[in-house]
Amino acid sequence: MRGVLPGKPRATPQAVCTTQWRQTRLVLYIAGNALVISDQPNHLVQTVYHDDVRLLDALAIDKDTAKIAVLGQSNIYIYKPYGLEEASLRWSLQFSFTTESTTPLLRTLSWGPSEELLVGSSELELYQTFDGSDVIWRRQLSSPVHVALLSPDGSLISSIAPHDRLVKIWRRLSSGDGNIQFNYSYLSHPSVVTALQWKDKQEEGHDGNNILCTICADGKARIWASVDPHGLQVLQVWAEIDLLSSIQPRQFNGNARLNDRYVCFLNGRDFKKVVEGVLASGEQSPVLEHLVEVAQSAPDVCAVLDRLGNLCAWGLKNIGTKATGPSDIFNMIYVENVNVLPFEDDLTTNAPFQLCAFCDTSPKPHIAIIRHSFDGTIAWLEGDVIDVLDPSRQVPRFRAKALWTGHEGSIEKINRTNKGRAIVSRTGENESLVWRQSEEQDGIALSRCSSLITEDRIYRTRILGGGDYVANLHSGFVSIWDATKFKSEKVASCKFEIDGKPLCLIILPSSDVSLATRYLATITSSLTGIVWKVRLPQLEGVNGFSHHPSDTIEQFCTFNLGAQSHLVYVLPVDPAGSVQTVTGFLDTFAQDVALSYSNKGVITTWAAKVDPALKKVDWLATATVHTGIENPSLASGSSTRKVAFVDSTRNGLSVWDTSNAQLEYEKRYIAEEAIQDLDWTSTPDDQSILAVGFPHKVVILAQIRYDYLDQRPSWAPIRELNIRESTPHPIGDSTWLGSGSLVIGAGNQLFVYDKFITAHDESAKELAISTRDDATVDLFDIVSLLNGPLPIFHPQLLSQCILAGKLSLVQKVIVNLSRQMKYYTEGDALDSSLSITLEECFEEQEPASLSNSRVLKAIDEEDEPDTVTEDLALTLNENITKKSIPHLSNQEQSHLVDLIECVATAEKHRRSMDENATRFLLFFRRYMLRRTQRRNIDFGITWREIAWAFHSSSQDILTDQVSRHFQGKMLWEQAKESGIFMWMTDITALRAQFEIVARNEYTKTFEKDPIDCSLYYLALKKKNVLIGLWKMATWHREQSATQRLLSNNFSEARWKTAAMKNAYALMGKRRFKYAAAFFLLAGNIQDAVNICANQMQDIQLAIAIARAYDGDEGAVLHELLEEKVLPLAAFEGNRWMASWAFWMLGRRDMAVRSLITPVYTLLDSPGTPSQEARSYLATDPALVVLYRQLREKTLQALIGASKVSPRAEWEFVMQIARLYDRMGCDVLALDLVRNWDFLKLPPPHQKTPKPLADPRKMLRRRSSLVVTDLPSPGSPKAMKTPTFKPPPQKVFEEPTANSLLDSFGF
């Protein structure tokens, strides 16, 4: 955690206290109704809220037991520590009680020995707090006390009234149960006593006197001790220290404030320990010898400070002795430039200070001062002993480790400037605080600049002028506040009237050259709005003098964005990414300024352009995204064109890219984790980061590269910040600072988390971020590492190169990597490009094999293969598995090993395979290898690989390779994994392979059950083979009945009916596969296919049966493709499946168009696609490769491509280029836009262009391989476009009563 701002401390004498308890330094204070406990400057141990009181007044901690007493109005709360042994120190409420005092306002608390608690107001009450609040003594006072303190041994009480010069000393006369008596005497002072303090008790077993220190307005500190036990007074003056004469400034400027003196005491034992610690550390200093000599007698130190930075330290030895020697009180040291108090030039506040000092040796010897200013701040200052006490040192003597301040009420909203250098936090009581980000990494994270309090309800806030001014939107007017002063002042306001409810306050970008001019806009629920012109004051030098121009705000114009049905909200986008230059043009490249969304889930982003000359603002809807999420509860957009959306349950989060109108990420959290806040930021190179706020934690999500091969999420949790251990109050709001720190507001506290992540963070481990155990990693560096260009040897880039047809480039990369890995050792630098130039990446790939070619080498270079042979792959993989490669995680190195092995396998068969067959074989091998390594995950071939094999002319080789992979024993599940019956185009070969599967299904078990293969043999219409198998199944209890049934003639209606009855009965027993076989036996191919597609949810099996039974021209297959496959492809957004289905139907024009256009837009009755169809995964970059290939394959496909408008094709190509860029494959994005050829279409001005006699003229590169396949008018292939109906629900229909088993043994 970078820092914490626990809230505004109360301006009361006992608002802060500190003690050392069991090696732990505890600093406590009260802020509003909260008790704040800290053990380090930037670490909160605990925050305890008291909802039954509005403000707390005092607190005290028992130095022996660490019990805490908190006072609020007339209520007292006692807290007891626990968990110290488990290293989880916390406090729990032991009990609370209400005092019997008649005074409504209590003033002071003090702990004594044996857990006695003194409560002071208009009377003194002494409580015993072992197990409850037992009053053991009470005394009415003539005037209320200001401070009342118990002595360390509990025998004395010192008390003073406000503005009193008499300190009353109460002496305990008896201590019996129920009979405690005190008498009192007075310690007279010449002037008002401003402070008093008992000296801490001596070491255990040391019989020391009670010693009291008082500070008087006459400028003297007095030490009181029991010098004469037989005297009339209990305590006598042991010594006096003249505070004014201790520090005599060299110059006097007449400011009376500079005569103020401030005193703090250091315990002698602690001072001796830190001096010994400095000596042990070996630090050298001229003053060290003097300090060691002084510290030998462990004197208490009285430090006197003034506002000029002077410090005089007095040593006090042998306090309480009857005779004061000349060496018992001595001036220890005098130093200047002590930066503890505000200096002479910073006297902006008249608030008094309280100082509390202590010494500590952890983590190194230092002196710390807690400065409590009654203007609402607490500063924790630390300085090295030598830096503080060496007069010759010129370095800053103290460093501010923490500055605690903030609100008294709960924070509701936090706003930031565009650059994130200033923020404003706001409470429900209309109190706002302006904060500035510190530039120092070591110092205070945020410093308070100004406070703004108004009686008018604030609805929206924006920061202007880098934090110097604040704009507030109220009911009926907008106000401008000057925040350059400690207390903000209203400088301008403007009333307005408008229809609808104002929803937001937006700062509009403007090309106005005047830096002092800003434009503010509000948009209402009716999408109307007002724009105001704000002129901010600016320092301007004129003839050596500075002046402030007047502050003005005036209504600039009104506007109307048009009607949007079911509008829910309009909000400004979060400023993220690099600052864009305002060009003055209003187009889709303009910066988004606002976001609107409807209850139907429609997101619209808006850009605006201010025209000062015409006094108007033009608006443009830059993007519209249909998310399909109804009644959203929350949304947030960023200027990097990302939108986070939360559904109505507040548990579902989705992230959308508005540039491509696509879904990037979906996550559903548990019901107890309701999302309540979303905040955007980005790295300097515009990689987006999202903070998702829950009631007690914030999850930080970072975008990562797209992955179309493994289909991993494109966003990942990178850090989780949980504040439940620090405060029980839920989070109110959060925002990002420009430095990458996250500010979280919870209750009246602000938590500032820096951007550094430790190696022990669970999210860093899950993302396989390699760091040293003790190292921290910059959040921006991690996100940049997870995004941006990939090294050329990265497995994702190599895989995409293979899909793009750049196999020779992949081979060159692997060969170069092999050469460099021979001499590579861990820790060496590895060139991310492997010395391969961009020109080599853009070279046209030769379709012929490179197996016989050689690259010319130098004479002295070792002869190496220039292609990936199996030997080279084996050697390289051995090196990769033994060494850690830069820029690759362990998992990515494993993927690289798999890919190299696959490339070597494909290279061996490359001379006999075309490019599509190579693509299929590479990824088939890759999937199978990874499935072997991870058996618990079901990897399978996707429709992308099926499409490559389907359009390959080397299917016989692919069939042989797939069969060999499964050792010739391919079962249906394995056939489904390979998709073999989807991509085989030769029906004869398909049926032969289907029969092999049938035979393997029969022999897969030891018993050889004919039921396992019945469906396959009946689909092949080989009932006689099945009868023969049943004859051999003598062990089967259904053998005789089944044999009798199969021996009948199923062309007769009687036996068809019998087979149908058995099929329905088997469906009732949920034996769907066997039921489909009986439907085939009855000749009912339609019902058999429906069972496979619906009940079994196996669309591949349904297609395979239809193709094996009727061939590719069968009506059942066509109906299945039209009614099941295409609607499923449209619903899922699977363009590969749709293109394959259209090609099977003979609609090759539609097959090409479906690759470039969302499938649901091509069907006659478009339905509502699923979220999967809206995902970025629905637009695979490899689609552009198949699109370019197919449009040049046949005339019908070429005509289909011509129906795609040039604008749509251009947007598709640019979208693919952006996807390549998001994947880290920038070189492929550049290659795509560099080498893409658009069709030469007729001029668009022709109203009814004539069809081209030869469509091949549209190609810029003429090819003689374009197949003429245009259907004749009225042919079966000139069919209508299928309709899109969403897939039916997966509901099983029970068979009717007539569907009973007959007498055939079932």
Side-chain angles (χ1 to χ4, degrees):
M1 185 184 293
R2 170 76 190 280
V4 59
L5 299 160
K8 181 180 180 180
R10 294 298 315 281
T12 60
Q14 284 192 300
V16 183
C17 67
T18 179
T19 188
Q20 182 86 12
W21 185 66
R22 297 188 183 181
Q23 309 304 318
T24 301
R25 169 59 59 176
L26 297 174
V27 178
L28 306 86
Y29 81 95
I30 51 177
N33 66 345
L35 164 64
V36 180
I37 307 171
S38 175
D39 61 352
Q40 295 175 21
N42 292 323
H43 179 257
L44 286 189
V45 176
Q46 191 176 359
T47 302
V48 182
Y49 287 89
H50 303 79
D51 296 331
D52 51 348
V53 294
R54 183 177 178 272
L55 296 173
L56 300 176
D57 300 304
L59 69 89
I61 184 169
D62 188 349
K63 299 180 186 298
D64 296 326
T65 64
K67 290 179 67 171
I68 300 172
V70 182
L71 186 154
Q73 297 175 356
S74 60
N75 300 323
I76 297 178
Y77 307 85
I78 307 297
Y79 293 92
K80 190 174 183 179
Y82 68 94
L84 182 64
E85 292 77 10
E86 294 81 11
S88 180
L89 182 61
R90 293 290 184 275
W91 277 259
S92 62
L93 182 66
Q94 184 181 10
F95 60 87
S96 64
F97 62 95
T98 303
T99 65
E100 300 177 5
S101 173
T102 58
T103 304
L105 183 62
L106 304 180
R107 294 178 180 271
T108 180
L109 294 172
S110 179
W111 285 98
S114 303
E115 301 186 21
E116 291 181 350
L117 178 66
L118 178 66
V119 181
S121 58
S122 61
E123 58 186 26
L124 292 178
E125 296 174 305
L126 191 61
Y127 290 86
Q128 179 55 253
T129 65
F130 281 124
D131 298 313
S133 57
D134 300 327
V135 180
I136 57 178
W137 178 73
R138 178 183 291 115
R139 183 66 178 267
Q140 190 72 32
L141 303 176
S142 58
S143 60
V145 297
H146 180 59
V147 176
L149 302 175
L150 273 166
S151 64
D153 64 357
S155 63
L156 300 177
I157 298 174
S158 61
S159 65
I160 56 171
H163 312 291
D164 198 351
R165 68 180 187 87
L166 297 176
V167 177
K168 187 177 290 187
I169 302 297
W170 303 77
R171 182 172 60 178
R172 191 188 301 242
L173 301 177
S174 61
S175 57
D177 294 339
N179 190 27
I180 295 179
Q181 297 293 327
F182 282 85
N183 67 3
Y184 62 88
S185 60
Y186 292 99
L187 302 182
S188 179
H189 291 71
S191 185
V192 174
V193 177
T194 58
L196 54 85
Q197 175 182 338
W198 289 104
K199 183 182 182 298
D200 290 342
K201 65 182 180 180
Q202 303 294 330
E203 295 88 346
E204 295 294 335
H206 187 279
D207 185 17
N209 295 327
N210 290 315
I211 299 169
L212 179 67
C213 308
T214 61
I215 310 297
C216 186
D218 66 346
K220 291 184 178 181
R222 292 172 173 84
I223 312 298
W224 304 79
S226 182
V227 177
D228 183 6
H230 304 290
L232 296 177
Q233 292 183 336
V234 180
L235 301 176
Q236 296 86 33
V237 175
W238 180 79
E240 287 185 356
I241 299 175
D242 193 336
L243 305 179
L244 290 175
S245 62
S246 297
I247 299 175
Q248 297 181 358
R250 298 176 182 177
Q251 298 178 354
F252 182 73
N253 61 2
N255 192 333
R257 294 276 306 280
L258 300 180
N259 289 326
D260 294 344
R261 298 291 183 266
Y262 301 89
V263 181
C264 55
F265 294 90
L266 291 174
N267 184 279
R269 302 188 310 272
D270 296 339
F271 179 70
K272 183 178 180 181
K273 289 180 181 177
V274 296
V275 173
E276 292 173 348
V278 174
L279 185 63
S281 66
E283 186 171 354
Q284 300 295 325
S285 173
V287 80
L288 182 58
E289 184 178 347
H290 170 63
L291 294 178
V292 171
E293 181 182 357
V294 168
Q296 285 180 353
S297 57
D300 292 297
V301 180
C302 175
V304 184
L305 302 96
D306 70 351
R307 296 292 290 264
L308 290 173
N310 300 307
L311 181 149
C312 179
W314 293 86
L316 307 173
K317 297 191 300 183
N318 305 320
I319 301 178
T321 56
K322 291 183 179 182
T324 304
S327 62
D328 290 343
I329 304 174
F330 59 94
N331 192 308
M332 191 172 71
I333 207 156
Y334 186 93
V335 294
E336 298 176 344
N337 299 320
V338 179
N339 53 329
V340 171
L341 301 175
F343 285 167
E344 176 186 0
D345 58 350
D346 187 19
L347 302 178
T348 57
T349 175
N350 293 320
F353 295 96
Q354 278 185 340
L355 299 180
C356 177
F358 57 88
C359 300
D360 204 346
T361 57
S362 176
K364 62 181 181 178
H366 65 271
I367 298 174
I369 293 180
I370 305 297
R371 187 188 73 205
H372 175 207
S373 173
F374 281 31
D375 65 353
T377 60
I378 295 176
W380 185 322
L381 306 152
E382 289 184 2
D384 294 340
V385 177
I386 300 302
D387 289 342
V388 173
L389 299 180
D390 188 349
S392 63
R393 291 288 176 101
Q394 299 298 321
V395 297
R397 301 187 184 276
F398 283 91
R399 298 177 302 278
K401 306 299 289 186
L403 184 63
W404 294 338
T405 183
H407 298 273
E408 288 188 345
S410 297
I411 297 170
E412 290 187 350
K413 187 65 180 175
I414 307 176
N415 297 93
R416 55 167 279 184
T417 60
N418 285 347
K419 295 183 179 180
R421 295 177 182 172
I423 65 172
V424 57
S425 54
R426 190 177 78 239
T427 68
E429 291 79 23
N430 301 314
E431 178 198 23
S432 300
L433 293 180
V434 180
W435 310 81
R436 287 190 186 276
Q437 170 187 302
S438 173
E439 300 297 332
E440 298 179 5
Q441 291 296 328
D442 241 357
I444 301 169
L446 286 176
S447 58
R448 190 182 75 176
C449 301
S450 181
S451 63
L452 187 159
I453 301 177
T454 177
E455 295 180 356
D456 300 303
R457 172 68 175 166
I458 300 175
Y459 293 98
R460 300 290 181 268
T461 299
R462 303 297 288 177
I463 311 179
L464 307 174
D468 292 338
Y469 295 88
V470 176
N472 289 327
L473 180 66
H474 310 273
S475 177
F477 73 98
V478 61
S479 62
I480 306 297
W481 295 73
D482 183 357
T484 58
K485 304 175 182 178
F486 189 75
K487 290 188 177 181
S488 299
E489 296 178 357
K490 185 194 293 187
V491 294
S493 64
C494 182
K495 295 183 179 180
F496 66 88
E497 293 182 0
I498 193 170
D499 294 334
K501 177 184 177 182
L503 299 177
C504 59
L505 188 62
I506 304 171
I507 302 175
L508 299 181
S510 171
S511 56
D512 197 328
V513 294
S514 174
L515 296 177
T517 303
R518 301 289 188 275
Y519 294 91
L520 294 174
T522 184
I523 303 176
T524 69
S525 54
S526 58
L527 283 182
T528 59
I530 299 176
V531 178
W532 295 279
K533 183 178 182 179
V534 182
R535 291 187 180 90
L536 301 178
Q538 232 182 355
L539 284 174
E540 299 179 2
V542 180
N543 298 327
F545 296 95
S546 297
H547 69 280
H548 287 271
S550 59
D551 319 271
T552 62
I553 178 172
E554 60 182 4
Q555 184 170 317
F556 181 71
C557 68
T558 59
F559 58 87
N560 192 331
L561 297 181
Q564 180 176 353
S565 58
H566 309 289
L567 178 70
V568 175
Y569 215 80
V570 182
L571 66 157
V573 300
D574 287 347
S578 55
V579 179
Q580 298 185 8
T581 304
V582 180
T583 61
F585 296 99
L586 189 62
D587 49 30
T588 55
F589 298 102
Q591 180 181 353
D592 292 340
V593 297
L595 165 75
S596 65
Y597 60 94
S598 70
N599 58 12
K600 298 296 184 182
V602 180
I603 299 173
T604 306
T605 55
W606 300 88
K609 184 188 76 170
V610 178
D611 191 339
L614 299 178
K615 294 195 68 172
K616 69 172 185 176
V617 175
D618 298 322
W619 293 82
L620 174 68
T622 56
T624 301
V625 182
H626 296 267
T627 66
I629 301 173
E630 296 191 355
N631 301 314
S633 58
L634 198 62
S636 178
S638 79
S639 54
T640 54
R641 302 290 174 90
K642 299 284 190 275
V643 174
F645 223 42
V646 180
D647 63 11
S648 57
T649 66
R650 285 188 175 266
N651 302 127
L653 171 70
S654 57
V655 180
W656 299 78
D657 179 3
T658 59
S659 300
N660 298 322
Q662 61 191 16
L663 175 66
E664 288 195 339
Y665 179 72
E666 263 192 312
K667 173 71 175 180
R668 178 157 293 278
Y669 297 92
I670 61 177
E672 292 77 13
E673 296 181 338
I675 302 172
Q676 60 184 28
D677 189 30
L678 300 166
D679 294 286
W680 288 96
T681 189
S682 69
T683 64
D685 55 348
D686 292 348
Q687 311 295 345
S688 297
I689 303 172
L690 174 64
V692 184
F694 298 90
H696 296 281
K697 70 176 182 179
V698 174
V699 176
I700 298 178
L701 301 175
Q703 73 171 42
I704 58 178
R705 298 182 186 93
Y706 286 164
D707 187 347
Y708 287 88
L709 302 178
D710 296 333
Q711 298 186 359
R712 292 182 298 180
S714 60
W715 288 75
I718 202 169
R719 193 179 185 186
E720 182 173 311
L721 307 174
N722 198 320
I723 68 165
R724 192 184 292 273
E725 294 182 356
S726 300
T727 175
H729 204 288
I731 295 173
D733 197 14
S734 60
T735 193
W736 290 95
L737 295 178
S739 62
S741 299
L742 181 68
V743 181
I744 300 175
N748 62 344
Q749 301 176 336
L750 288 173
F751 299 88
V752 185
Y753 290 88
D754 59 27
K755 61 179 179 178
F756 296 102
I757 300 177
T758 63
H760 301 289
D761 194 284
E762 292 298 327
S763 300
K765 294 179 181 178
E766 292 178 5
L767 291 172
I769 300 170
S770 57
T771 60
R772 299 192 310 271
D773 291 340
D774 58 343
T776 58
V777 188
D778 191 307
L779 172 67
F780 287 170
D781 292 342
I782 292 178
V783 178
S784 297
L785 181 66
L786 297 173
N787 295 275
L790 292 168
I792 199 167
F793 50 81
H794 195 282
Q796 171 152 291
L797 177 56
L798 295 179
S799 299
Q800 291 298 327
C801 287
I802 293 170
L803 292 176
K806 294 183 175 294
L807 187 58
S808 60
L809 173 62
V810 173
Q811 301 232 16
K812 185 182 296 184
V813 169
I814 296 175
V815 170
N816 284 12
L817 180 63
S818 174
R819 291 169 183 163
Q820 297 204 21
M821 288 299 294
K822 285 184 178 179
Y823 311 104
Y824 172 79
T825 57
E826 291 190 27
D828 293 348
L830 186 63
D831 183 12
S832 61
S833 66
L834 297 179
S835 303
I836 297 176
T837 64
L838 278 177
E839 287 72 18
E840 293 178 276
C841 298
F842 298 150
E843 287 177 359
E844 292 290 337
Q845 304 300 305
E846 299 179 7
S849 173
L850 299 176
S851 300
N852 297 325
S853 63
R854 286 286 182 185
V855 178
L856 296 177
K857 303 178 179 63
I859 298 176
D860 59 341
E861 186 176 355
E862 182 182 353
D863 188 21
E864 294 179 350
D866 59 342
T867 58
V868 183
T869 63
E870 291 184 340
D871 292 338
L872 183 145
L874 182 62
T875 304
L876 177 58
N877 285 345
E878 287 179 357
N879 285 330
I880 293 177
T881 53
K882 294 177 182 178
K883 302 173 184 178
S884 178
I885 302 180
H887 315 297
L888 295 184
S889 65
N890 293 336
Q891 185 179 9
E892 289 166 346
Q893 282 193 210
S894 175
H895 291 175
L896 179 60
V897 168
D898 294 344
L899 187 138
I900 292 172
E901 183 178 343
C902 294
V903 170
T905 303
E907 174 63 22
K908 186 170 63 174
H909 304 283
R910 191 175 171 204
R911 291 180 63 86
S912 54
M913 292 191 304
D914 59 8
E915 283 189 351
N916 286 341
T918 304
R919 292 185 179 104
F920 172 84
L921 187 59
L922 276 167
F923 290 98
F924 171 75
R925 290 276 301 167
R926 180 174 182 267
Y927 282 126
M928 294 301 113
L929 274 174
R930 295 181 58 192
R931 184 181 177 188
T932 303
Q933 297 165 358
R934 303 171 66 183
R935 297 180 182 274
N936 58 332
I937 297 179
D938 183 20
F939 286 102
I941 290 299
T942 66
W943 282 94
R944 175 183 56 231
E945 282 69 48
I946 290 174
W948 298 129
F950 180 70
H951 293 289
S952 170
S953 58
S954 309
Q955 291 184 358
D956 51 345
I957 299 176
L958 292 182
T959 303
D960 180 65
Q961 289 295 319
V962 171
S963 180
R964 285 173 180 269
H965 179 81
F966 297 114
Q967 291 85 38
K969 299 179 179 179
M970 184 165 53
L971 304 175
W972 169 250
E973 287 303 320
Q974 296 164 336
K976 182 179 177 181
E977 286 180 357
S978 64
I980 187 170
F981 295 110
M982 303 300 101
W983 50 259
M984 291 185 70
T985 54
D986 186 345
I987 292 298
T988 303
L990 182 144
R991 287 170 175 158
Q993 193 65 38
F994 205 68
E995 187 171 2
I996 294 174
V997 171
R999 185 164 58 248
N1000 293 334
E1001 287 286 341
Y1002 172 70
T1003 59
K1004 69 180 180 181
T1005 61
F1006 179 77
E1007 293 83 2
K1008 297 181 180 179
D1009 192 346
I1011 293 178
D1012 295 336
C1013 61
S1014 297
L1015 177 62
Y1016 307 100
Y1017 278 118
L1018 292 175
L1020 293 168
K1021 301 178 182 178
K1022 294 190 176 183
K1023 185 184 71 171
N1024 293 332
V1025 176
L1026 189 60
I1027 292 174
L1029 298 178
W1030 273 107
K1031 287 181 180 179
M1032 294 184 288
T1034 55
W1035 55 272
H1036 206 293
R1037 65 184 183 88
E1038 299 175 359
Q1039 182 203 26
S1040 58
T1042 307
Q1043 269 191 282
R1044 289 197 305 271
L1045 177 63
L1046 292 177
S1047 62
N1048 295 297
N1049 183 6
F1050 286 90
S1051 61
E1052 298 179 8
R1054 170 191 173 188
W1055 297 111
K1056 282 186 178 182
T1057 302
M1060 294 281 284
K1061 284 184 178 181
N1062 282 283
Y1064 286 122
L1066 289 166
M1067 287 182 66
K1069 292 187 174 185
R1070 306 190 66 82
R1071 297 173 65 184
F1072 298 124
K1073 189 174 182 180
Y1074 204 24
F1078 272 87
F1079 278 123
L1080 289 177
L1081 188 62
N1084 191 343
I1085 177 64
Q1086 183 70 62
D1087 286 345
V1089 166
N1090 288 340
I1091 287 178
C1092 296
N1094 296 332
Q1095 277 73 23
M1096 297 179 64
Q1097 292 297 308
D1098 193 342
I1099 195 71
Q1100 283 201 37
L1101 183 59
I1103 295 171
I1105 289 174
R1107 296 187 71 186
Y1109 194 88
D1110 276 342
D1112 287 347
E1113 302 300 326
V1116 173
L1117 175 63
H1118 283 204
E1119 183 179 350
L1120 177 65
L1121 295 175
E1122 294 174 6
E1123 301 296 330
K1124 299 288 184 185
V1125 177
L1126 283 175
L1128 180 63
F1131 183 73
E1132 296 178 352
N1134 194 331
R1135 301 186 188 184
W1136 301 99
M1137 182 194 295
S1139 177
W1140 173 87
F1142 278 124
W1143 199 278
M1144 288 289 295
L1145 289 169
R1147 294 298 306 271
R1148 298 177 179 178
D1149 55 338
M1150 298 294 289
V1152 174
R1153 291 177 61 188
S1154 64
L1155 294 173
I1156 203 171
T1157 310
V1159 183
Y1160 66 89
T1161 62
L1162 299 177
L1163 305 184
D1164 288 343
S1165 303
T1168 302
S1170 65
Q1171 292 295 79
E1172 187 180 356
R1174 298 182 171 97
S1175 171
Y1176 74 94
L1177 293 171
T1179 309
D1180 192 326
L1183 288 168
V1184 75
V1185 179
L1186 186 62
Y1187 171 76
R1188 177 157 48 187
Q1189 183 183 122
L1190 293 188
R1191 75 176 183 180
E1192 301 176 2
K1193 196 169 186 177
T1194 70
L1195 289 180
Q1196 191 182 157
L1198 186 57
I1199 292 176
S1202 68
K1203 294 180 181 179
V1204 178
S1205 67
R1207 176 72 183 182
E1209 184 175 351
W1210 181 85
E1211 290 179 349
F1212 176 71
V1213 173
M1214 294 307 298
Q1215 182 182 7
I1216 298 299
R1218 286 193 294 268
L1219 295 179
Y1220 273 138
D1221 181 68
R1222 179 66 190 276
M1223 295 170 66
C1225 304
D1226 301 60
V1227 63
L1228 293 180
L1230 184 57
D1231 179 71
L1232 176 66
V1233 298
R1234 185 173 182 264
N1235 297 321
W1236 183 260
D1237 290 331
F1238 291 92
L1239 295 179
K1240 295 188 295 184
L1241 298 177
H1245 56 79
Q1246 296 183 10
K1247 294 184 179 180
T1248 54
K1250 297 180 180 179
L1252 293 174
D1254 187 0
R1256 287 174 292 185
K1257 293 182 179 180
M1258 290 186 291
L1259 296 174
R1260 297 184 183 273
R1261 302 181 185 183
R1262 295 296 300 273
S1263 172
S1264 60
L1265 301 179
V1266 179
V1267 178
T1268 302
D1269 62 343
L1270 294 178
S1272 59
S1275 68
K1277 292 187 178 181
M1279 62 178 69
K1280 65 177 182 179
T1281 304
T1283 60
F1284 171 27
K1285 300 177 183 177
Q1289 298 292 329
K1290 304 174 183 180
V1291 178
F1292 169 67
E1293 296 181 1
E1294 293 289 345
T1296 62
N1298 295 329
S1299 303
L1300 301 176
L1301 294 176
D1302 55 16
S1303 57
F1304 293 100
F1306 291 90

